[in-house]
mmCIF file of all heavy atoms in Angstrom:
data_model
loop_
_atom_site.group_PDB
_atom_site.id
_atom_site.type_symbol
_atom_site.label_atom_id
_atom_site.label_comp_id
_atom_site.label_asym_id
_atom_site.label_seq_id
_atom_site.Cartn_x
_atom_site.Cartn_y
_atom_site.Cartn_z
ATOM 1 N N ALA A 1 -9.125 -22.082 -0.143
ATOM 2 C CA ALA A 1 -9.328 -21.126 -1.221
ATOM 3 C C ALA A 1 -9.855 -21.848 -2.441
ATOM 4 O O ALA A 1 -9.591 -23.035 -2.638
ATOM 5 C CB ALA A 1 -8.029 -20.394 -1.568
ATOM 6 N N ARG A 2 -10.587 -21.122 -3.269
ATOM 7 C CA ARG A 2 -11.188 -21.704 -4.454
ATOM 8 C C ARG A 2 -11.142 -20.691 -5.588
ATOM 9 O O ARG A 2 -11.303 -19.484 -5.374
ATOM 10 C CB ARG A 2 -12.642 -22.107 -4.161
ATOM 11 C CG ARG A 2 -13.444 -22.572 -5.354
ATOM 12 C CD ARG A 2 -14.854 -22.948 -4.908
ATOM 13 N NE ARG A 2 -14.861 -24.180 -4.131
ATOM 14 C CZ ARG A 2 -15.669 -24.417 -3.105
ATOM 15 N NH1 ARG A 2 -16.543 -23.493 -2.719
ATOM 16 N NH2 ARG A 2 -15.612 -25.573 -2.470
ATOM 17 N N ILE A 3 -10.938 -21.191 -6.792
ATOM 18 C CA ILE A 3 -10.979 -20.334 -7.971
ATOM 19 C C ILE A 3 -11.756 -21.051 -9.063
ATOM 20 O O ILE A 3 -11.530 -22.226 -9.346
ATOM 21 C CB ILE A 3 -9.559 -19.934 -8.437
ATOM 22 C CG1 ILE A 3 -9.630 -18.960 -9.615
ATOM 23 C CG2 ILE A 3 -8.710 -21.162 -8.775
ATOM 24 C CD1 ILE A 3 -8.296 -18.271 -9.889
ATOM 25 N N THR A 4 -12.693 -20.343 -9.675
ATOM 26 C CA THR A 4 -13.548 -20.935 -10.689
ATOM 27 C C THR A 4 -12.921 -20.814 -12.065
ATOM 28 O O THR A 4 -11.859 -20.238 -12.245
ATOM 29 C CB THR A 4 -14.923 -20.263 -10.706
ATOM 30 O OG1 THR A 4 -14.796 -18.939 -11.247
ATOM 31 C CG2 THR A 4 -15.513 -20.180 -9.306
ATOM 32 N N SER A 5 -13.626 -21.348 -13.049
ATOM 33 C CA SER A 5 -13.158 -21.273 -14.427
ATOM 34 C C SER A 5 -13.179 -19.855 -14.976
ATOM 35 O O SER A 5 -12.527 -19.579 -15.980
ATOM 36 C CB SER A 5 -13.999 -22.183 -15.322
ATOM 37 O OG SER A 5 -15.362 -21.795 -15.293
ATOM 38 N N THR A 6 -13.924 -18.964 -14.323
ATOM 39 C CA THR A 6 -13.968 -17.563 -14.722
ATOM 40 C C THR A 6 -13.169 -16.669 -13.785
ATOM 41 O O THR A 6 -13.347 -15.455 -13.767
ATOM 42 C CB THR A 6 -15.415 -17.065 -14.803
ATOM 43 O OG1 THR A 6 -16.072 -17.273 -13.554
ATOM 44 C CG2 THR A 6 -16.175 -17.811 -15.888
ATOM 45 N N ASP A 7 -12.310 -17.275 -12.975
ATOM 46 C CA ASP A 7 -11.387 -16.566 -12.098
ATOM 47 C C ASP A 7 -12.055 -15.887 -10.914
ATOM 48 O O ASP A 7 -11.464 -14.997 -10.288
ATOM 49 C CB ASP A 7 -10.548 -15.549 -12.872
ATOM 50 C CG ASP A 7 -9.518 -16.196 -13.766
ATOM 51 O OD1 ASP A 7 -9.175 -17.367 -13.527
ATOM 52 O OD2 ASP A 7 -9.065 -15.526 -14.720
ATOM 53 N N SER A 8 -13.268 -16.299 -10.593
ATOM 54 C CA SER A 8 -13.860 -15.872 -9.337
ATOM 55 C C SER A 8 -13.202 -16.637 -8.191
ATOM 56 O O SER A 8 -12.949 -17.837 -8.305
ATOM 57 C CB SER A 8 -15.361 -16.128 -9.349
ATOM 58 O OG SER A 8 -15.951 -15.778 -8.113
ATOM 59 N N THR A 9 -12.920 -15.949 -7.092
ATOM 60 C CA THR A 9 -12.223 -16.572 -5.972
ATOM 61 C C THR A 9 -12.990 -16.405 -4.678
ATOM 62 O O THR A 9 -13.784 -15.476 -4.511
ATOM 63 C CB THR A 9 -10.818 -15.974 -5.780
ATOM 64 O OG1 THR A 9 -10.925 -14.571 -5.517
ATOM 65 C CG2 THR A 9 -9.969 -16.188 -7.026
ATOM 66 N N ASN A 10 -12.754 -17.309 -3.754
ATOM 67 C CA ASN A 10 -13.191 -17.131 -2.390
ATOM 68 C C ASN A 10 -12.210 -17.816 -1.454
ATOM 69 O O ASN A 10 -11.460 -18.701 -1.853
ATOM 70 C CB ASN A 10 -14.633 -17.598 -2.153
ATOM 71 C CG ASN A 10 -14.884 -19.020 -2.582
ATOM 72 O OD1 ASN A 10 -14.249 -19.954 -2.110
ATOM 73 N ND2 ASN A 10 -15.855 -19.194 -3.480
ATOM 74 N N TYR A 11 -12.228 -17.373 -0.201
ATOM 75 C CA TYR A 11 -11.248 -17.796 0.780
ATOM 76 C C TYR A 11 -11.904 -18.070 2.114
ATOM 77 O O TYR A 11 -12.922 -17.470 2.463
ATOM 78 C CB TYR A 11 -10.195 -16.711 0.994
ATOM 79 C CG TYR A 11 -9.400 -16.359 -0.226
ATOM 80 C CD1 TYR A 11 -9.833 -15.377 -1.106
ATOM 81 C CD2 TYR A 11 -8.200 -17.006 -0.494
ATOM 82 C CE1 TYR A 11 -9.100 -15.052 -2.229
ATOM 83 C CE2 TYR A 11 -7.457 -16.685 -1.610
ATOM 84 C CZ TYR A 11 -7.915 -15.710 -2.473
ATOM 85 O OH TYR A 11 -7.176 -15.389 -3.586
ATOM 86 N N ALA A 12 -11.302 -18.948 2.870
ATOM 87 C CA ALA A 12 -11.670 -19.082 4.262
ATOM 88 C C ALA A 12 -11.334 -17.792 4.994
ATOM 89 O O ALA A 12 -10.333 -17.138 4.694
ATOM 90 C CB ALA A 12 -10.926 -20.254 4.903
ATOM 91 N N ASP A 13 -12.169 -17.415 5.946
ATOM 92 C CA ASP A 13 -11.925 -16.190 6.691
ATOM 93 C C ASP A 13 -10.555 -16.191 7.364
ATOM 94 O O ASP A 13 -9.920 -15.143 7.492
ATOM 95 C CB ASP A 13 -13.008 -15.980 7.745
ATOM 96 C CG ASP A 13 -14.339 -15.580 7.150
ATOM 97 O OD1 ASP A 13 -14.373 -15.109 5.999
ATOM 98 O OD2 ASP A 13 -15.360 -15.729 7.846
ATOM 99 N N SER A 14 -10.100 -17.350 7.774
ATOM 100 C CA SER A 14 -8.853 -17.449 8.503
ATOM 101 C C SER A 14 -7.625 -17.132 7.655
ATOM 102 O O SER A 14 -6.558 -16.839 8.203
ATOM 103 C CB SER A 14 -8.705 -18.844 9.115
ATOM 104 O OG SER A 14 -8.722 -19.837 8.104
ATOM 105 N N VAL A 15 -7.755 -17.188 6.338
ATOM 106 C CA VAL A 15 -6.612 -16.937 5.464
ATOM 107 C C VAL A 15 -6.793 -15.710 4.589
ATOM 108 O O VAL A 15 -5.848 -15.309 3.893
ATOM 109 C CB VAL A 15 -6.295 -18.157 4.574
ATOM 110 C CG1 VAL A 15 -6.174 -19.415 5.413
ATOM 111 C CG2 VAL A 15 -7.350 -18.335 3.485
ATOM 112 N N LYS A 16 -7.954 -15.115 4.621
ATOM 113 C CA LYS A 16 -8.235 -13.960 3.774
ATOM 114 C C LYS A 16 -7.245 -12.834 4.049
ATOM 115 O O LYS A 16 -6.993 -12.474 5.199
ATOM 116 C CB LYS A 16 -9.670 -13.490 4.011
ATOM 117 C CG LYS A 16 -10.203 -12.538 2.957
ATOM 118 C CD LYS A 16 -11.696 -12.287 3.154
ATOM 119 C CE LYS A 16 -12.498 -13.570 3.009
ATOM 120 N NZ LYS A 16 -13.954 -13.341 3.181
ATOM 121 N N GLY A 17 -6.683 -12.299 2.992
ATOM 122 C CA GLY A 17 -5.698 -11.243 3.113
ATOM 123 C C GLY A 17 -4.275 -11.733 3.238
ATOM 124 O O GLY A 17 -3.338 -10.939 3.102
ATOM 125 N N ARG A 18 -4.090 -13.022 3.503
ATOM 126 C CA ARG A 18 -2.758 -13.595 3.643
ATOM 127 C C ARG A 18 -2.405 -14.550 2.510
ATOM 128 O O ARG A 18 -1.246 -14.626 2.108
ATOM 129 C CB ARG A 18 -2.622 -14.337 4.976
ATOM 130 C CG ARG A 18 -2.860 -13.458 6.193
ATOM 131 C CD ARG A 18 -2.529 -14.200 7.478
ATOM 132 N NE ARG A 18 -3.397 -15.362 7.677
ATOM 133 C CZ ARG A 18 -2.947 -16.606 7.800
ATOM 134 N NH1 ARG A 18 -1.645 -16.863 7.748
ATOM 135 N NH2 ARG A 18 -3.805 -17.601 7.991
ATOM 136 N N PHE A 19 -3.398 -15.292 2.033
ATOM 137 C CA PHE A 19 -3.198 -16.257 0.960
ATOM 138 C C PHE A 19 -3.839 -15.727 -0.315
ATOM 139 O O PHE A 19 -4.826 -14.991 -0.281
ATOM 140 C CB PHE A 19 -3.831 -17.604 1.290
ATOM 141 C CG PHE A 19 -3.246 -18.346 2.465
ATOM 142 C CD1 PHE A 19 -2.270 -17.786 3.264
ATOM 143 C CD2 PHE A 19 -3.696 -19.619 2.760
ATOM 144 C CE1 PHE A 19 -1.741 -18.471 4.348
ATOM 145 C CE2 PHE A 19 -3.175 -20.320 3.835
ATOM 146 C CZ PHE A 19 -2.202 -19.750 4.626
ATOM 147 N N THR A 20 -3.305 -16.144 -1.436
ATOM 148 C CA THR A 20 -3.856 -15.803 -2.737
ATOM 149 C C THR A 20 -3.901 -17.052 -3.598
ATOM 150 O O THR A 20 -2.934 -17.815 -3.633
ATOM 151 C CB THR A 20 -3.014 -14.725 -3.443
ATOM 152 O OG1 THR A 20 -2.891 -13.579 -2.600
ATOM 153 C CG2 THR A 20 -3.675 -14.313 -4.759
ATOM 154 N N ILE A 21 -5.022 -17.266 -4.279
ATOM 155 C CA ILE A 21 -5.118 -18.373 -5.216
ATOM 156 C C ILE A 21 -5.151 -17.813 -6.635
ATOM 157 O O ILE A 21 -5.787 -16.797 -6.902
ATOM 158 C CB ILE A 21 -6.349 -19.264 -4.939
ATOM 159 C CG1 ILE A 21 -6.309 -20.532 -5.805
ATOM 160 C CG2 ILE A 21 -7.653 -18.503 -5.133
ATOM 161 C CD1 ILE A 21 -7.333 -21.581 -5.402
ATOM 162 N N SER A 22 -4.449 -18.471 -7.527
ATOM 163 C CA SER A 22 -4.449 -18.081 -8.926
ATOM 164 C C SER A 22 -4.287 -19.322 -9.790
ATOM 165 O O SER A 22 -3.850 -20.373 -9.308
ATOM 166 C CB SER A 22 -3.339 -17.066 -9.226
ATOM 167 O OG SER A 22 -2.059 -17.635 -9.008
ATOM 168 N N ARG A 23 -4.647 -19.185 -11.040
ATOM 169 C CA ARG A 23 -4.508 -20.314 -11.961
ATOM 170 C C ARG A 23 -3.890 -19.846 -13.263
ATOM 171 O O ARG A 23 -4.056 -18.697 -13.679
ATOM 172 C CB ARG A 23 -5.864 -20.984 -12.215
ATOM 173 C CG ARG A 23 -6.869 -20.126 -12.980
ATOM 174 C CD ARG A 23 -8.264 -20.750 -12.933
ATOM 175 N NE ARG A 23 -8.298 -22.056 -13.562
ATOM 176 C CZ ARG A 23 -9.208 -22.991 -13.302
ATOM 177 N NH1 ARG A 23 -10.163 -22.759 -12.401
ATOM 178 N NH2 ARG A 23 -9.162 -24.158 -13.927
ATOM 179 N N ASP A 24 -3.176 -20.750 -13.888
ATOM 180 C CA ASP A 24 -2.581 -20.513 -15.188
ATOM 181 C C ASP A 24 -3.075 -21.629 -16.095
ATOM 182 O O ASP A 24 -2.562 -22.752 -16.053
ATOM 183 C CB ASP A 24 -1.058 -20.499 -15.103
ATOM 184 C CG ASP A 24 -0.401 -20.098 -16.402
ATOM 185 O OD1 ASP A 24 -1.015 -20.253 -17.472
ATOM 186 O OD2 ASP A 24 0.747 -19.621 -16.354
ATOM 187 N N ASN A 25 -4.078 -21.324 -16.891
ATOM 188 C CA ASN A 25 -4.693 -22.353 -17.728
ATOM 189 C C ASN A 25 -3.768 -22.829 -18.846
ATOM 190 O O ASN A 25 -3.944 -23.933 -19.355
ATOM 191 C CB ASN A 25 -6.003 -21.841 -18.310
ATOM 192 C CG ASN A 25 -7.084 -21.681 -17.264
ATOM 193 O OD1 ASN A 25 -7.066 -22.355 -16.223
ATOM 194 N ND2 ASN A 25 -8.030 -20.801 -17.519
ATOM 195 N N ALA A 26 -2.820 -21.996 -19.231
ATOM 196 C CA ALA A 26 -1.865 -22.404 -20.258
ATOM 197 C C ALA A 26 -0.887 -23.441 -19.733
ATOM 198 O O ALA A 26 -0.364 -24.251 -20.499
ATOM 199 C CB ALA A 26 -1.113 -21.194 -20.800
ATOM 200 N N LYS A 27 -0.628 -23.408 -18.433
ATOM 201 C CA LYS A 27 0.307 -24.338 -17.821
ATOM 202 C C LYS A 27 -0.372 -25.418 -16.993
ATOM 203 O O LYS A 27 0.304 -26.287 -16.440
ATOM 204 C CB LYS A 27 1.300 -23.581 -16.945
ATOM 205 C CG LYS A 27 2.176 -22.609 -17.700
ATOM 206 C CD LYS A 27 3.143 -21.907 -16.773
ATOM 207 C CE LYS A 27 4.046 -20.956 -17.534
ATOM 208 N NZ LYS A 27 4.981 -20.249 -16.638
ATOM 209 N N ASN A 28 -1.693 -25.356 -16.880
ATOM 210 C CA ASN A 28 -2.449 -26.314 -16.069
ATOM 211 C C ASN A 28 -1.951 -26.345 -14.624
ATOM 212 O O ASN A 28 -1.703 -27.412 -14.051
ATOM 213 C CB ASN A 28 -2.392 -27.713 -16.676
ATOM 214 C CG ASN A 28 -3.288 -27.872 -17.886
ATOM 215 O OD1 ASN A 28 -3.858 -26.907 -18.390
ATOM 216 N ND2 ASN A 28 -3.413 -29.103 -18.359
ATOM 217 N N THR A 29 -1.803 -25.171 -14.056
ATOM 218 C CA THR A 29 -1.344 -25.074 -12.678
ATOM 219 C C THR A 29 -2.227 -24.135 -11.880
ATOM 220 O O THR A 29 -2.841 -23.212 -12.416
ATOM 221 C CB THR A 29 0.106 -24.578 -12.588
ATOM 222 O OG1 THR A 29 0.218 -23.290 -13.201
ATOM 223 C CG2 THR A 29 1.057 -25.551 -13.270
ATOM 224 N N VAL A 30 -2.278 -24.380 -10.593
ATOM 225 C CA VAL A 30 -2.918 -23.479 -9.648
ATOM 226 C C VAL A 30 -1.930 -23.254 -8.514
ATOM 227 O O VAL A 30 -1.246 -24.190 -8.083
ATOM 228 C CB VAL A 30 -4.267 -24.033 -9.145
ATOM 229 C CG1 VAL A 30 -4.097 -25.389 -8.480
ATOM 230 C CG2 VAL A 30 -4.945 -23.047 -8.204
ATOM 231 N N SER A 31 -1.849 -22.013 -8.063
ATOM 232 C CA SER A 31 -0.860 -21.636 -7.065
ATOM 233 C C SER A 31 -1.528 -21.047 -5.837
ATOM 234 O O SER A 31 -2.632 -20.517 -5.905
ATOM 235 C CB SER A 31 0.128 -20.616 -7.638
ATOM 236 O OG SER A 31 0.842 -21.156 -8.720
ATOM 237 N N LEU A 32 -0.830 -21.136 -4.726
ATOM 238 C CA LEU A 32 -1.297 -20.554 -3.473
ATOM 239 C C LEU A 32 -0.116 -19.935 -2.736
ATOM 240 O O LEU A 32 0.493 -20.586 -1.873
ATOM 241 C CB LEU A 32 -1.980 -21.608 -2.601
ATOM 242 C CG LEU A 32 -2.686 -21.073 -1.360
ATOM 243 C CD1 LEU A 32 -3.967 -20.347 -1.749
ATOM 244 C CD2 LEU A 32 -2.988 -22.205 -0.378
ATOM 245 N N PRO A 33 0.229 -18.692 -3.062
ATOM 246 C CA PRO A 33 1.222 -17.989 -2.242
ATOM 247 C C PRO A 33 0.632 -17.707 -0.871
ATOM 248 O O PRO A 33 -0.490 -17.203 -0.767
ATOM 249 C CB PRO A 33 1.482 -16.695 -3.013
ATOM 250 C CG PRO A 33 0.870 -16.902 -4.367
ATOM 251 C CD PRO A 33 -0.247 -17.866 -4.180
ATOM 252 N N MET A 34 1.386 -18.028 0.167
ATOM 253 C CA MET A 34 0.927 -17.874 1.536
ATOM 254 C C MET A 34 1.897 -16.961 2.267
ATOM 255 O O MET A 34 3.093 -17.245 2.326
ATOM 256 C CB MET A 34 0.844 -19.230 2.236
ATOM 257 C CG MET A 34 -0.001 -20.258 1.494
ATOM 258 S SD MET A 34 -0.123 -21.830 2.381
ATOM 259 C CE MET A 34 1.590 -22.374 2.303
ATOM 260 N N ASN A 35 1.367 -15.896 2.823
ATOM 261 C CA ASN A 35 2.169 -14.928 3.550
ATOM 262 C C ASN A 35 1.735 -14.862 5.005
ATOM 263 O O ASN A 35 0.646 -15.302 5.369
ATOM 264 C CB ASN A 35 2.048 -13.541 2.918
ATOM 265 C CG ASN A 35 2.532 -13.496 1.489
ATOM 266 O OD1 ASN A 35 3.569 -14.071 1.156
ATOM 267 N ND2 ASN A 35 1.788 -12.800 0.641
#
């Protein structure tokens, strides 16, 4: 998964719909909840 500086995202087909990528610029973190 990838997330740009403008919050555009893309995912591998194998994880699409199951994983989510997000970023918190105030905390300098990126997360990947996986279901």
Side-chain angles (χ1 to χ4, degrees):
R2 173 180 289 144
I3 184 166
T4 71
S5 60
T6 56
D7 289 340
S8 177
T9 60
N10 54 59
Y11 299 89
D13 288 341
S14 60
V15 309
K16 195 171 298 181
R18 301 188 297 121
F19 295 5
T20 305
I21 188 169
S22 64
R23 67 192 298 157
D24 187 336
N25 290 334
K27 297 181 179 179
N28 284 8
T29 59
V30 58
S31 298
L32 189 73
M34 306 182 294
N35 299 317

